[in-house]
Amino acid sequence: MAQWTSAVGASQLARQLNAQQPRPGGAGTRKPPAYRALADGVRLLVLEGRVPVAARLPAERELALALSVSRTTVAAAYEALRGEGFLESRRGAGSWTAVPAGNPLPSRGLEPLPPESVGSMIDLGCAALPAPEPWLTRGVQGAVEELAPYAHTHGDYPAGIPVLRQMLADRYTARGIPTMPEQIMVTTGAMGAMDAICHLFGGRGERIAVESPSYANILQLMREAGARLVPVAMAEELGGWDLPRWRQVLRDAAPRLAYVVADFHNPTGALADEDQRRGLVDAARSAGTVLVVDETMAELHLDKEVDMPRPVCAFDPAGSTVITVGSASKAFWAGMRIGWVRAAPDVIRSLVAARAYADLGTPVLEQLAIDWLMRTGGWDEAVAHRRAQARENRDALVSAVGRELPEWEFTVPSGGLTLWVRTGGLSGSRLAEVGERVGVRVPSGPRFGVDGAFEGFVRLPFTVGGPVADEAAARLAAAARLVETGATTGVEAPRTFVA
């Protein structure tokens, strides 16, 4: 029986390999043989999780044709990968990817660092801050005091508890978007909201237009749902959306869904202006595309001079085109798994009906805590504290990276939690691989693209500051030197670091 569980086509693998940045050579460095470069490329794709473990690779002849290299080169690369434990083969069954014994399975997303690694590893992989206190404790205590009436019920509220649906509707109304509770569904985080939306609108084989780059975990969720992703490039630096490209894609590809982050885009930090928002809604409406807008970063404007545009749904008064997703995870705390959807009542009813076959509902206690915080003013106080914390971290990280890695390029965003960095020609995948060896965990650019794009980038979140930001930048600089020289073996284990 074959040991592979999925397959990678020759053209797909060739696109991913061709998108990789070549390893820069220092003085006197010899260019590796073609087979070695090919083997290294496949190994990095496996380590990054962009080619899954137990995926059947193309036959040697097929891949050679797709890459315009000799079959001998591919055969030698496969043999090298087998010798290193990254490939297994059996006559009649083909060859499939593997990881050597003792190596952790590569992550397809950006999971938080295990708690046991704290101290020796600086985690720049997860764009989430610690819980804001004392507001978390106050919110939970307030929720417990109000729990008794709900404890006498079955506890299943597929659309969310009524008081929180009303609270969220009122907050949209206060922003100038008249909203009824019937237009709100509470979910288990923004990921729960996106999962429900994708299953309702984006069935297997459906096209979904996405920004390029875009949020890695959402891209992976859509891939696993069987969607066909259609990337649309962002404008340069922090310019937001490239509307002519969006209009062309929506017209030519006619995607069922489009997913965008209008407010402090993840990963670039771009803020779409009102003209872009109006134009994209009009283009989506004309194409018959449902526009899903992720607002999870909307409250994280860090600079006082930022003039926040109206929400995207303000340009869709009929409610027929825009679905809005919000969450407590970024503005408050990732451990508070509360998200929500704002949409037309008929869409909410369909999402609620479909939810009966998924998770049934969101935990009541956490919903009560968010309602208590929003009702008492604790939410606004906690978010203001979060903004100040993220602003301080951003400034410290920008200063440290600019000092340690002056050849790296970035534009400082005015909000959000992420810095999108061009790595001076170095491979983001290799930096991520070597970074873990020197004690800093960083996601590479290709995680945020489609088919291996953005190899020359990494994403740095505003989650560390002060001495920890300095140390993180120093470790990134050490990783960059190792990647640049190719000296990635025999790296000393990271020491425990205490701020």
Side-chain angles (χ1 to χ4, degrees):
M1 180 181 295
Q3 301 298 307
W4 50 272
T5 57
S6 62
V8 181
S11 59
Q12 177 188 355
L13 183 57
R15 284 196 304 272
Q16 291 179 286
L17 289 166
N18 288 331
Q20 291 179 330
Q21 293 286 106
R23 175 181 297 177
T29 302
R30 297 179 61 184
K31 184 178 179 180
Y35 85 89
R36 183 68 263 171
L38 175 55
D40 286 347
V42 173
R43 177 175 56 83
L44 282 168
L45 291 174
V46 173
L47 289 171
E48 269 284 293
R50 288 181 284 130
V51 169
V53 175
R56 186 180 186 273
L57 295 186
E60 295 171 1
R61 187 186 302 278
E62 294 174 354
L63 186 57
L65 287 172
L67 291 171
S68 298
V69 300
S70 71
R71 183 177 177 180
T72 302
T73 296
V74 177
Y78 279 15
E79 183 61 33
L81 289 167
R82 277 190 287 269
E84 295 164 2
F86 286 94
L87 198 67
E88 296 181 10
S89 304
R90 194 168 66 200
R91 187 179 298 276
S95 299
W96 56 92
T97 56
V99 292
N103 279 37
L105 287 175
S107 165
R108 298 306 303 274
L110 297 174
E111 290 79 6
L113 190 69
E116 61 269 19
S117 298
V118 174
S120 62
M121 184 74 70
I122 298 176
D123 186 10
L124 298 181
C126 186
L129 290 160
E133 288 290 18
W135 297 279
L136 173 63
T137 298
R138 290 174 183 171
V140 173
Q141 289 172 342
V144 170
E145 292 173 0
E146 298 176 359
L147 182 61
Y150 297 89
H152 294 294
T153 73
H154 51 64
D156 287 335
Y157 295 87
I161 59 174
V163 291
L164 183 56
R165 296 179 74 193
Q166 182 68 62
M167 174 60 67
L168 293 169
D170 290 346
R171 288 177 69 87
Y172 277 107
T173 300
R175 295 168 67 189
I177 318 297
T179 303
M180 304 178 295
E182 292 79 9
Q183 291 177 263
I184 301 292
M185 181 177 83
V186 181
T187 62
T188 308
M191 290 294 289
M194 286 303 305
D195 183 63
I197 293 167
C198 286
H199 279 88
L200 182 62
F201 290 98
R204 186 163 295 277
E206 289 281 3
R207 294 186 181 93
I208 301 180
V210 295
E211 298 152 324
S212 183
S214 186
Y215 179 39
N217 287 340
I218 295 294
L219 293 180
Q220 188 58 29
L221 182 153
M222 292 173 177
R223 291 186 188 103
E224 293 184 356
R228 299 164 60 189
L229 301 185
V230 183
V232 185
M234 296 287 288
E236 291 297 319
E237 297 182 343
L238 298 180
W241 300 322
D242 186 328
L243 276 182
R245 290 182 181 178
W246 270 103
R247 292 191 185 99
Q248 180 179 357
V249 167
L250 294 178
R251 181 181 64 248
D252 295 346
R256 184 72 181 91
L257 281 179
Y259 167 76
V260 296
V261 184
D263 303 287
F264 310 118
H265 175 258
N266 186 353
T268 68
L271 177 65
D273 61 32
E274 289 209 355
D275 287 342
Q276 290 174 328
R277 295 170 189 235
R278 181 184 295 106
L280 187 55
V281 172
D282 289 346
R285 184 184 298 115
S286 297
T289 298
V290 176
L291 185 62
V292 183
V293 181
D294 186 333
E295 283 192 339
T296 55
M297 298 280 191
E299 296 193 64
L300 292 175
H301 44 90
L302 306 184
D303 296 332
K304 293 181 180 179
E305 63 272 16
V306 176
D307 185 15
M308 290 298 295
R310 286 176 290 171
V312 177
C313 56
F315 303 97
D316 180 38
S320 60
T321 300
V322 176
I323 297 176
T324 303
V325 172
S327 171
S329 295
K330 300 299 184 184
F332 189 77
W333 183 46
M336 189 68 76
R337 302 304 304 159
I338 298 295
W340 53 86
V341 178
R342 181 200 181 274
D346 61 319
V347 173
I348 294 297
R349 286 193 293 271
S350 297
L351 289 170
V352 171
R355 192 175 193 180
Y357 306 100
D359 62 356
L360 293 178
T362 303
V364 170
L365 188 65
E366 283 86 338
Q367 294 186 68
L368 287 171
I370 294 297
D371 175 68
W372 188 92
L373 287 163
M374 289 180 171
R375 177 163 34 90
T376 61
W379 175 271
D380 293 332
E381 294 173 3
V383 172
H385 171 78
R386 176 68 82 223
R387 290 192 197 109
Q389 187 179 18
R391 183 186 310 115
E392 182 178 339
N393 288 352
R394 178 197 64 182
D395 295 345
L397 186 66
V398 165
S399 176
V401 173
R403 181 179 62 253
E404 297 285 347
L405 292 151
E407 67 278 13
W408 287 17
E409 301 173 19
F410 52 82
T411 302
V412 181
S414 58
L417 288 173
T418 58
L419 189 70
W420 186 236
V421 181
R422 189 187 299 271
T423 57
L426 298 179
S427 163
S429 297
R430 292 189 174 96
L431 282 166
E433 179 190 1
V434 178
E436 295 218 19
R437 303 188 199 176
V438 299
V440 60
R441 183 172 182 259
V442 58
S444 67
R447 288 190 180 277
F448 304 89
V450 177
D451 279 345
F454 306 109
E455 183 61 63
F457 290 81
V458 294
R459 189 196 73 174
L460 305 180
F462 309 145
T463 53
V464 297
V468 184
D470 292 337
E471 178 69 12
R475 294 184 183 186
L476 282 172
R481 288 191 295 271
L482 290 167
V483 170
E484 190 168 9
T485 61
T488 57
T489 59
V491 179
E492 182 179 352
R495 66 186 185 279
T496 299
F497 178 74
V498 180

